[in-house]
Amino acid sequence: MSYYNLLLAISKTLGDSFYVLHEENYLKNIQDLQSAFHKQYNKVIIGYSYKTNYIPKLCQIAKQNGIYAEVVSEMELELALKLGYNFDKIIFNGPLKKEKDIEKALLGNSIINLDSYSELDSVENIVKKYPSKTFKVGLRINMSLVNKDGESAIQEGLDVGRFGFDTTNAEFLNAINRLNNLGVVINALHGHTSSSDRSLKNFETITKTLCNVRNHYNLNNIKYFNIGGGYFGPMPKGLINQTTPTFEDYATTIFNQLKTDAWFTENQPYVILEPGVSVVSNALSFVSKIMDIKKIRNKNFLLIEGGVYNIKPTFHKINLPFQLISKETKTTNNNENFDVVGSTCMEKDLVLNNVSINNPSVNDFIQINNVGGYTIVKTPNFINYVPAIISINTENVYNIIRHRQTINDLIATYVLN
Ligand SMILES: *Cc1c(COP(=O)(O)O)cnc(C)c1O
């Protein structure tokens, strides 16, 4: 069966737009990341960032391959448990952890990174509840990152990031003393910091800062140096105008730094990575039938079902890689420029901006690739149903990963009178 006919068959049962999951890409990225870091060091743990894309199928693939679940909320914690994760393979991060969840995670030996003093209060309450137990916690360390132009490299160019503990404030010593007095072991330092440039320099800073904090406060029970996520993954050609670091480059940068640290070399703690986008971007494509083609004052518009929320909810300006899948192979070259627009009622619902397409027709399909990061988890019910997700095996047979939302799903949590 041709790819066009397969998409047509899928669209007849699952709707005019849907996602295609490429599980093999996800697995390959994880294995590539793993082997790049294992070349440097064998005590590396990978935790998959649920918030980036928690399609259960992906989380299960992660689980089957020894990958931990990196969760940042009550909802994500419950999802990991639902998917069969044990607490001891869960890394529990995030700015708002409920005391009941911290309690369960501590009792179950999760790797838990505290973000603030209010979470210390929760830990104190839990210690009092279980006076005979010894608990272990990690601390997220607030980072300051500077790009090559001397500006803040933190996401959105923010000067001061809001996560973790401020180690430049004397109060930090009180936090450590407080945990010591409670008999709580500090077993992890966490440095995840979202940057806008994903540069090697940031990882040098993060690694160096974790080592400095460890050394300065003599934290001798550290078992995990957690570098966090924020890496580039494999990039489709021409997507952005620069070469991006490879997994090997990140591994070299991080370990060059770690290997200069005497305590690290002597004690050999685990190194934790928390990849999200870098392993999942190319694991998902969005497919929609072309529903209409129109020309307004000499500008060509191509209408699809769904829209920008399905492919880039951040509305960034980069055109993602795409293909036109037509019923017949095009023999003539008749390229014209189109704006591919979505089926919402927003003017700015621009899926592809001024791209050249060869002779598209209504009922052809457009496939937009590299949409795995922060799409599924951010698709609102704005105007449209949430689309299905399918995967296609090597025999060209498709499996349903998620059904298309129905009207009953949509109203299920509302109270109707
Ligand atoms: C978001 C997040 C990640 C993953 O970040 P990516 O940029 O998607 O790699 C990892 N760790 C934490 C704590 C996060 O919040």
Side-chain angles (χ1 to χ4, degrees):
M1 198 193 301
S2 72
Y3 191 46
Y4 177 85
N5 283 335
L6 179 63
L7 295 180
L8 192 65
I10 296 167
S11 70
K12 280 183 182 152
T13 42
L14 294 172
D16 290 320
S17 60
F18 46 88
Y19 288 97
V20 181
L21 183 65
H22 314 290
E23 294 145 54
E24 66 293 350
N25 289 355
Y26 175 74
L27 184 58
K28 179 175 189 304
N29 293 335
I30 288 198
Q31 289 169 339
D32 288 350
L33 180 68
Q34 230 160 11
S35 76
F37 277 77
H38 280 158
K39 275 179 211 156
Q40 300 280 344
Y41 192 61
N42 56 21
K43 292 173 76 176
V44 175
I45 293 172
I46 297 181
Y48 175 57
S49 160
Y50 268 39
K51 78 165 189 287
T52 311
N53 183 336
Y54 49 64
I55 295 175
K57 183 82 197 173
L58 295 178
C59 299
Q60 283 162 343
I61 291 172
K63 183 167 177 287
Q64 283 153 14
N65 286 276
I67 304 300
Y68 285 44
E70 191 272 324
V71 303
V72 294
S73 68
E74 176 187 32
M75 180 188 84
E76 291 188 357
L77 178 64
E78 290 185 353
L79 179 59
L81 295 169
K82 190 94 186 164
L83 295 176
Y85 265 94
N86 291 331
F87 276 104
D88 65 354
K89 292 279 171 4
I90 291 175
I91 305 169
F92 192 17
N93 295 322
L96 201 167
K97 305 180 195 74
K98 308 277 172 73
E99 189 166 310
K100 68 163 176 61
D101 293 328
I102 296 180
E103 179 176 335
K104 286 188 240 165
L106 283 175
L107 291 171
N109 276 320
S110 296
I111 300 170
I112 164 164
N113 294 304
L114 305 182
D115 199 82
S116 62
Y117 291 93
S118 65
E119 292 184 343
L120 278 182
D121 296 341
S122 298
V123 171
E124 181 160 351
N125 293 337
I126 297 161
V127 168
K128 286 183 181 146
K129 196 167 159 188
Y130 302 93
S132 63
K133 282 207 169 5
T134 305
F135 292 117
K136 297 178 181 133
V137 299
L139 299 175
R140 180 155 173 181
I141 302 302
N142 185 272
M143 296 280 158
S144 143
L145 300 180
V146 180
N147 71 16
K148 59 182 182 346
D149 303 319
E151 296 148 358
S152 173
I154 296 177
Q155 199 176 46
E156 309 289 332
L158 296 171
D159 277 333
V160 179
R162 71 188 177 101
F163 296 109
F165 288 88
D166 176 7
T167 56
T168 67
N169 186 320
E171 203 188 355
F172 183 61
L173 186 58
N174 295 339
I176 291 175
N177 289 338
R178 211 172 134 193
L179 287 168
N180 284 340
N181 293 338
L182 288 169
V184 175
V185 175
I186 300 172
N187 71 339
L189 291 176
H190 182 212
H192 174 80
T193 312
S194 294
S195 72
S196 29
D197 60 5
R198 300 181 177 267
S199 72
L200 296 173
K201 188 166 185 278
N202 297 333
F203 288 95
E204 194 180 291
T205 307
I206 290 170
T207 312
K208 200 186 287 181
T209 307
L210 295 185
C211 288
N212 288 346
V213 170
R214 206 293 326 152
N215 291 331
H216 185 80
Y217 294 96
N218 251 315
L219 301 173
N220 289 324
N221 295 313
I222 295 296
K223 219 174 121 195
Y224 307 104
F225 269 126
N226 188 333
I227 311 294
Y231 315 99
F232 276 116
M235 293 297 271
K237 265 204 215 82
L239 186 60
I240 58 172
N241 219 350
Q242 81 191 72
T243 51
T244 53
T246 61
F247 290 152
E248 268 80 13
D249 295 334
Y250 288 114
T252 308
T253 301
I254 290 165
F255 281 96
N256 280 352
Q257 201 57 50
L258 287 172
K259 284 170 184 169
T260 62
D261 188 87
W263 189 89
F264 179 87
T265 316
E266 196 181 317
N267 291 276
Q268 310 248 309
Y270 285 93
V271 170
I272 301 183
L273 314 171
E274 300 173 340
V277 256
S278 57
V279 293
V280 82
S281 272
N282 66 3
L284 203 70
S285 301
F286 182 70
V287 173
S288 177
K289 207 185 258 179
I290 297 174
M291 311 304 286
D292 189 29
I293 300 178
K294 70 181 188 181
K295 190 175 267 216
I296 307 243
R297 282 185 267 137
N298 271 330
K299 195 172 170 70
N300 295 316
F301 292 94
L302 208 154
L303 175 71
I304 64 168
E305 187 187 74
V308 66
Y309 286 113
N310 300 113
I311 67 143
K312 46 177 182 185
T314 56
F315 289 74
H316 65 70
K317 296 277 186 283
I318 300 168
N319 283 327
L320 291 165
F322 70 94
Q323 293 135 253
L324 175 72
I325 298 122
S326 315
K327 191 168 179 180
E328 287 113 27
T329 15
K330 301 273 146 77
T331 47
T332 53
N333 230 340
N334 187 17
N335 276 67
E336 273 190 279
N337 278 16
F338 292 86
D339 274 4
V340 177
V341 294
S343 59
T344 70
C345 299
M346 294 185 304
E347 287 287 3
K348 63 174 182 179
D349 188 352
L350 196 52
V351 172
L352 295 167
N353 180 13
N354 205 32
V355 290
S356 168
I357 307 181
N358 185 17
N359 212 14
S361 325
V362 167
N363 290 335
D364 285 352
F365 290 94
I366 286 265
Q367 173 167 326
I368 296 152
N369 298 318
N370 290 76
V371 304
Y374 304 104
T375 47
I376 297 296
V377 295
K378 285 189 171 189
T379 310
N381 257 125
F382 181 58
I383 300 181
N384 295 309
Y385 285 123
V386 173
I389 305 170
I390 57 117
S391 71
I392 299 171
N393 73 15
T394 43
E395 278 93 54
N396 251 355
V397 175
Y398 73 90
N399 290 312
I400 299 175
I401 303 286
R402 178 177 78 182
H403 287 281
R404 183 182 173 92
Q405 194 181 35
T406 66
I407 185 62
N408 289 333
D409 299 332
L410 184 70
I411 60 168
T413 51
Y414 290 94
V415 179
L416 301 179
N417 295 316

